[in-house]
Amino acid sequence: MADTAGASRSNGVYEWLRVAIVTGEMRPNEHLIEADLAQRLAVSRTPIRESLQRLADGGLIVPRKRGWAVREYTSQEFIENSEVRAGLEGYATRLATMRATDEQIAEISAIHEHRLQIKVVDEKSRVDTNRNFHDAIIAAAQNKRLTDAIYRSGQFYFNVPLARLTTEEEMKAGNADHQRIIDAMIRRDGAVAESAMREHIMRTFAIFQRFNR
Amino acid sequence: MADTAGASRSNGVYEWLRVAIVTGEMRPNEHLIEADLAQRLAVSRTPIRESLQRLADGGLIVPRKRGWAVREYTSQEFIENSEVRAGLEGYATRLATMRATDEQIAEISAIHEHRLQIKVVDEKSRVDTNRNFHDAIIAAAQNKRLTDAIYRSGQFYFNVPLARLTTEEEMKAGNADHQRIIDAMIRRDGAVAESAMREHIMRTFAIFQRFNR
DNA sequence: AGTACCCAATTTGCATGCAAATTGAAAGAC
DNA sequence: GTCTTTCAATTTGCATGCAAATTGGGTACT
């Protein structure tokens, strides 16, 4: 997120709205009225307007003839976004395989080994270790713009309970994917690491696609 | 570009400023004063402010303690952005290779053949046919979000005379790259098409990197 | 000459006001 | 009962006003 500036009122409003949308507190298709939001957040319409425009640029809300509405994604758009994510993070994995120090690869491997111990029911650890694994790989690619683009694409998955509904088999399959990725990275095989990551991401999002309502 | 809405005054201002920055009319590091811009464009500060915030989100300008400045890219950022572009457009080429109809591939091939006839000095045709070639491939990937992401990444190359300074050898090398790409697409070899496009893009941007001042 | 300090000018952040666009619903026609 | 038309209420787009933050430069002091 290329955050615009410091802790102005406007930025506070923007962040509040962004979180409200991403967490699903504001439902897709929900209509947004400047004056209502202004009253609710106890500011004037000016910072509200500025925030809404930025949210629209970011694709979180869409213009209506009058006002704005929280964006609703079609399943087609969901798939398209998954492809973007797979393309970006797959490429990041290739770069990471080329550029990571041995220490970084050992660290990623350690995160993976740690995750193998996590039980499905331990939701927090499950989500955290997964995030750590992906974050460590992305960071090892050493490309800030690429990192930004990847995290930005994640914003589009709001209102999808990505983490909640994983079964035992799904977690096993995910860990097997991770194993394939880290194995290729250790062998410094960028092409395999990349395609393994792509497939992992497309598989994972396919699982969650059915919850995109 | 996920354009926010219709032809309001604010959008006009936004577009005017965006073009001014991208074309280099406003130089990197140039300081932007709301009131000055307002007077210059004969509107109040409100639409100016809204536009500046959106430009900042898009990464074209950066905040200063007081006001904004046209962003100046380091050569490191230039390279990083080239990698993002190569990753995205390479992946689009792979998808296009899988998804294009035979007719679409024939069309792309025809564009390429046509370009082979263009002389270096014919700048307009040279730039146009190159764009057509890339656009046709990107469109054939049939992924709107991916298309948006690719064109968005192009915005970061403002103030670089990308088209102007191509030599005879550089154009030949570019055409050879294009040949490799279309050959792989005809063979429906997505992996080769993808890496050929990646290499083409990284090579091309490496040529222009020296003009990034 | 150099340094510290202070004040006026500049510039932003935000609130408010008003005209124009949009809407929904009531009233009227058939 | 249904379709039109009209009009008041709602809502946005933009301009303007004002307080607070920032700055630059002049003056006093060493």
Side-chain angles (χ1 to χ4, degrees), chain B residues 9-189:
Chain B
R9 200 164 319 190
S10 181
N11 281 313
V13 170
Y14 172 78
E15 194 55 22
W16 190 94
L17 286 170
R18 192 187 68 74
V19 170
I21 293 170
V22 168
T23 60
E25 185 183 335
M26 288 181 155
R27 307 292 306 169
N29 235 0
E30 182 171 336
H31 205 75
L32 304 175
I33 304 295
E34 292 178 5
D36 292 353
L37 294 171
Q39 186 169 29
R40 194 159 162 201
L41 299 184
V43 296
S44 78
R45 277 176 51 224
T46 304
I48 299 287
R49 281 179 60 75
E50 292 174 350
S51 299
L52 290 175
Q53 303 225 15
R54 293 170 58 195
L55 290 166
D57 273 349
L60 296 197
I61 64 178
V62 292
R64 291 262 180 276
K65 252 176 308 188
R66 197 159 159 179
W68 309 87
V70 177
R71 179 157 181 179
E72 189 170 48
Y73 287 97
T74 64
S75 63
Q76 171 64 19
E77 289 168 320
F78 191 97
I79 293 169
E80 291 190 0
N81 197 57
S82 301
E83 286 181 356
V84 172
R85 177 62 174 260
L88 288 170
E89 196 170 337
Y91 190 45
T93 304
R94 176 189 286 258
L95 294 179
T97 302
M98 291 159 41
R99 294 174 185 171
T101 62
D102 289 343
E103 289 71 31
Q104 279 177 305
I105 288 185
E107 170 64 18
I108 295 164
S109 192
I111 293 169
H112 168 60
E113 295 295 333
H114 172 60
R115 180 175 162 77
L116 291 176
Q117 312 303 321
I118 306 295
K119 299 231 186 334
V120 168
V121 291
D122 187 356
E123 180 182 308
K124 178 164 172 20
S125 296
R126 176 160 51 77
V127 172
D128 285 351
T129 53
N130 183 59
R131 178 188 308 253
N132 290 344
F133 181 78
H134 285 266
D135 284 354
I137 292 174
I138 292 165
Q142 296 174 59
N143 180 322
K144 195 162 158 0
R145 286 252 318 116
L146 183 55
T147 301
D148 285 352
I150 289 169
Y151 290 127
R152 178 183 303 230
S153 83
Q155 289 238 120
F156 288 80
Y157 290 101
F158 58 81
N159 195 39
V160 179
L162 287 181
R164 307 276 174 66
L165 301 143
T166 295
T167 67
E168 187 86 41
E169 303 83 52
E170 284 164 356
M171 188 176 179
K172 260 199 187 130
N175 279 340
D177 286 352
H178 285 192
Q179 185 76 58
R180 237 170 277 133
I181 293 164
I182 188 67
D183 284 350
M185 289 185 75
I186 289 171
R187 293 199 316 276
R188 301 284 182 175
D189 187 336

Side-chain angles (χ1 to χ4, degrees), chain A residues 13-31:
Chain A
V13 169
Y14 173 77
E15 193 56 23
W16 190 94
L17 287 169
R18 192 187 67 74
V19 170
I21 293 170
V22 169
T23 60
E25 185 184 334
M26 287 180 155
R27 307 292 306 171
N29 237 356
E30 183 170 336
H31 207 73

